[in-house]
Amino acid sequence: VPVQDTVKLTIDGREITAPKGTPVIEAARRAGIPIPHYCYHPYLSVAGNCRMCLVEIEKFPKLQIACSTQVAEGMVVRTATPQALAARAGVMEFLLINHPLDCPICDQAGECRLQEYSVAHGRAYSRLDDDKHRGRKNVDLGAHIVFDEERCIKCTRCVRFCDEVTKTGELALFNRGDDAIIGVFPGRSLDNPYSGNTVDVCPVGALTLKEFRFQSRVWFLEQKESVCAGCARGCNVTLWVRDERIVRITPRENPEVNKTWICDEGRLSYQPLHAGERLLEPRVEGAAARWDDALVEAARLLTGGGGRRPRLGVVASSRMTLEELSLLRRLCERAGAEAGLAALERGQDDDVLIRRDKTCNLAGARLLGFERPAAEVLGAAAEGKLDVLYVLEEELFGPAVPVAEADLARRAAARVPALIVSASFSSRVPAQARVALPAAAYGEFEGTCVNFEGRAQRLRAAVERPGRARTHLGILSALARAAGWGEWPADPAAAWEQAQAFAAPLAGIAYSQIGAAGVMLAGGGGGRS
Ligand code: SF4
Ligand code: SF4
Ligand code: FES
C-alpha cells in the first residue's frame, strides 16, 4: 500500500499503520489487538448492530463502535477503559435477557462468543425477573442447517452472507423488537452450495450443521491445518479429528484463496472416507498378500522380470501430490511407460469458489509433464496394445466422480494381461487386478498441490492410515527398491527435491517455505483456469 494511502493511529498505546478506510476493529485485529464483537465480519459488509465493539476514541464525546469507524491520522483509541467495559457489560446483559440456558446441550459450547464474552465482559448474575421470550427450537432451514430461534442474537451475519457472498438471499430478519427473528422467505430453504458457512459466521449456537450436531464437544477434537482436495480451488481448511477420524472440516482464513469460506461439498468431503470399505492389505490375484510379495510381483510385472520389457501404461491421478507424481514420473521414465491423466470434472466453475475440476493438483501434474489424456493409454490397453497397466486414479473404477473414461477403463481392465492398482477403497479395485496396493486416503498423507491459480499449498496428515495402507510415496519408493532401481525418497521433504528437479517453477522454494498460506509459483506455475 503506498504510504500516502495509509494513516498512523494509536490503539491501546501501540502505534499502528493501516490503509485509509480500514475499520478501527480491523486495524486492531491485524495488529493482534482483539476488540470484542458479534456482528462484524472481515469479509462481510458492516452492520453495526450488536454494539459490542464500543471503544473510546479521543476527541469523540461518546463511545464509538469500532466496526463502523474508520481509522484516521493521529487517532487515539482505547479499547478497555472503564466506560468501554461498562458499555460492553450492558450489551452482554441485554443480549442474554432472552438467551436460554442452553450451554449444556448447545453445539457451540466451547467456541461460543456469548460464553467467551460472558467471562471477559459480562456480569455473573441476571437482573431479569420476567419470563424469557421463548422461540422455536430445531427449525429446519435447509439440507444442512438447523436453526434455534432463541439462541439468535440478530447479528445478521448469516443474512449478509447469503446476500453478499452467494447472492442467493434466502434469509432475512423478520418482525421487530422482541419478536425480531431470522428466517427463510416463504417457499424457500437455505440450500445454496455454501450454506455451511452460515454456521461458521454465526457467533452463537443458533445455526448448527446437521452433520456435526451432537457429534462431539469441540474441546475433545484435535485440529490440523490443511487444504481441501475437493476441487482445483484448494480452499484452506482445518481438519477436526477425534479417535483417528475426521469429524468436521471448517474453513481456514486465506484472503488469496477462499477468504473464510468453503463449499458444502468440501465441508462434507470427510464423509466418504468413513463410508466406503477401505482396502486394508495388499492383494495378489484377489487374495490377501504380504507387502513384500505384492511389491515383488508388481515390480516383476513393471520390469518384465529380466525378460522382454513389457509395453507399460500408467494412469496417474491429478489428486496425487507433486512429491508423489515426481516419483511416478521417475518410474515412468525408468520403466519406459506411457502415462496419461484422467479428467475428473463435474458441473461448472462458479463465481465464488467451486471449480468443475474435482482434483486438487491438475496444475501440478501438468508442471511435472503429465499432459496426455488417460483415454490414450486406456484405449491402447483396451485394444490389446499394452502388456501391463498401472492405475493410480482409482476414481476410474469408482462411483464418486463421474469419469469420462470410466467405460474405457472397464474395457482396458478386461483386456490388459496384467493390471496393477493403487487404491484406498476395495470397491474401486476391479476384479481383474493382478496386484492391488492399499493407499492412504485424504487426511492420511502429507504433500504439496498446486491450485488452478498456481499456488502451491500443503495437504497435511491428520489421522493414522488404516490397516496396512501406505502413502503413494511409500508405495512408489518400495516399488523402486523391489524393481532394483535403488533408494527413492519415501519422505515428502526429500521427494520435494525430486519434484524441483522436474519442474522449474518449483526451483528455489524450500519444502519448509510452503507455510499456512501457501506460495504463489512464478508465472502462476503454468496453472490453468
Ligand atoms: S442466526 Fe446466528 S448469524 Fe444469524 S443473526 Fe442469529 S446469531 Fe447472527
Ligand atoms: S470449493 Fe473446492 S476446494 Fe473449496 S471447499 Fe469446495 S471442494 Fe474444497
Ligand atoms: S461489531 Fe461493531 S456493532 Fe457489532
Side-chain angles (χ1 to χ4, degrees):
V1 180
V3 175
Q4 67 270 28
D5 293 336
T6 63
V7 296
K8 280 204 173 79
L9 70 158
T10 308
I11 304 181
D12 289 346
R14 273 180 57 193
E15 190 162 286
I16 285 165
T17 304
K20 279 182 185 165
T22 308
V24 169
I25 198 171
E26 186 61 21
R29 181 177 91 101
R30 290 179 197 162
I33 303 172
I35 297 177
H37 60 280
Y38 291 106
C39 69
Y40 175 74
H41 189 286
Y43 297 103
L44 297 175
S45 64
V46 172
N49 60 29
C50 76
R51 322 308 285 181
M52 192 62 189
C53 64
L54 287 164
V55 292
E56 247 185 64
I57 301 179
E58 258 183 33
K59 300 190 183 131
F60 281 77
K62 293 199 294 187
L63 297 175
Q64 299 296 310
I65 50 174
C67 62
S68 81
T69 310
Q70 295 181 358
V71 293
E73 187 65 37
M75 186 180 252
V76 178
V77 181
R78 294 189 190 88
T79 70
T81 62
Q83 290 91 327
L85 293 176
R88 272 177 222 151
V91 170
M92 284 304 298
E93 183 174 22
F94 174 71
L95 290 177
L96 290 173
I97 283 177
N98 286 318
H99 196 78
L101 281 172
D102 249 3
C103 301
I105 56 154
C106 179
D107 253 6
Q108 194 83 357
E111 52 186 11
C112 172
R113 292 277 175 87
L114 279 175
Q115 284 187 337
E116 288 159 13
Y117 296 157
S118 281
V119 175
H121 303 279
R123 299 178 205 276
Y125 57 92
S126 168
R127 293 185 287 174
L128 182 75
D129 287 331
D130 296 322
D131 287 340
K132 284 179 184 278
H133 194 286
R134 306 300 294 268
R136 290 178 302 163
K137 289 196 159 314
N138 208 4
V139 181
D140 194 329
L141 288 191
H144 304 293
I145 311 296
V146 175
F147 179 45
D148 186 306
E149 288 184 355
E150 50 192 18
R151 293 180 189 159
C152 173
I153 59 166
K154 285 85 180 175
C155 70
T156 69
R157 275 178 163 196
C158 55
V159 177
R160 282 175 282 146
F161 175 81
C162 293
D163 285 349
E164 298 164 14
V165 179
T166 59
K167 299 186 171 65
T168 42
E170 296 95 336
L171 296 174
L173 184 65
F174 297 94
N175 305 331
R176 291 293 177 265
D178 258 13
D179 289 328
I181 192 67
I182 296 292
V184 287
F185 284 101
R188 299 199 63 182
S189 64
L190 181 52
D191 281 334
N192 70 61
Y194 298 90
S195 65
N197 294 289
T198 59
V199 174
D200 301 329
V201 298
C202 183
V204 301
L207 295 174
T208 49
L209 193 75
K210 289 179 185 173
E211 289 79 359
F212 182 65
R213 265 187 132 210
F214 309 131
Q215 292 302 303
S216 174
R217 285 311 201 181
V218 290
W219 53 84
F220 292 133
L221 305 180
E222 287 174 36
Q223 300 174 45
K224 194 83 180 181
E225 290 186 350
S226 191
V227 170
C228 177
C231 83
R233 175 74 59 180
C235 293
N236 292 205
V237 294
T238 301
L239 307 177
W240 300 73
V241 174
R242 182 166 185 182
D243 299 334
E244 295 302 329
R245 283 169 74 98
I246 299 172
V247 295
R248 172 164 93 154
I249 297 179
T250 54
R252 186 165 59 80
E253 182 176 3
N254 187 330
E256 306 296 327
V257 180
N258 55 305
K259 299 193 171 98
T260 49
W261 320 128
I262 54 173
C263 75
D264 291 349
E265 194 171 321
R267 184 180 298 273
L268 299 174
S269 60
Y270 65 90
Q271 290 184 321
L273 300 175
H274 306 315
E277 201 171 309
R278 294 292 299 270
L279 180 62
L280 297 174
E281 76 261 305
R283 289 185 197 162
V284 176
E285 308 278 10
R290 294 170 56 235
W291 259 111
D292 284 350
D293 295 339
L295 289 167
V296 165
E297 176 63 2
R300 187 186 67 77
L301 294 171
L302 291 175
T303 59
R308 182 179 64 83
R309 194 189 225 197
R311 294 167 301 172
L312 172 63
V314 166
V315 179
S317 168
S318 46
R319 288 193 286 190
M320 292 166 67
T321 64
L322 286 173
E323 294 83 356
E324 294 164 346
L325 286 168
S326 69
L327 287 208
L328 187 61
R329 173 166 164 182
R330 200 165 158 186
L331 180 147
C332 291
E333 288 178 358
R334 192 67 205 249
E338 301 290 340
L341 202 59
L344 306 186
E345 296 191 340
R346 178 165 25 84
Q348 292 301 324
D349 301 341
D350 74 8
D351 294 336
V352 187
L353 298 172
I354 293 170
R355 309 293 302 177
R356 67 178 182 278
D357 171 12
K358 299 302 173 196
T359 70
C360 53
N361 196 25
L362 180 59
R366 290 180 191 280
L367 271 185
L368 288 170
F370 290 91
E371 290 278 356
R372 288 178 63 187
E376 290 182 17
V377 175
L378 294 169
E383 288 166 17
K385 294 179 182 160
L386 293 181
D387 302 310
V388 180
L389 181 64
Y390 181 17
V391 176
L392 297 99
E393 177 44 81
E394 56 185 300
E395 287 303 346
L396 275 180
F397 305 115
V401 185
V403 184
E405 302 91 343
D407 184 51
L408 196 52
R410 272 189 291 277
R411 284 191 279 129
R415 180 80 192 268
V416 75
L419 175 67
I420 306 169
V421 179
S422 288
S424 308
F425 292 90
S426 50
S427 57
R428 298 175 199 173
V429 178
Q432 300 92 342
R434 181 84 68 85
V435 181
L437 305 171
Y442 178 71
E444 296 167 3
F445 59 88
E446 174 167 323
T448 316
C449 292
V450 182
N451 81 350
F452 78 102
E453 293 169 308
R455 178 176 297 269
Q457 307 190 102
R458 179 102 355 110
L459 302 182
R460 305 274 178 186
V463 295
E464 293 290 328
R465 293 185 295 280
R468 291 192 284 145
R470 292 186 183 179
T471 62
H472 280 301
L473 266 187
I475 294 172
L476 290 166
S477 62
L479 268 177
R481 199 176 315 117
W485 296 332
E487 289 300 317
W488 291 8
D491 159 62
W496 174 252
E497 289 170 24
Q498 173 80 75
Q500 286 179 308
F502 285 134
L506 307 181
I509 302 172
Y511 187 74
S512 57
Q513 212 176 317
I514 301 174
V519 170
M520 201 67 192
L521 300 180
R528 55 153 216 184
S529 60

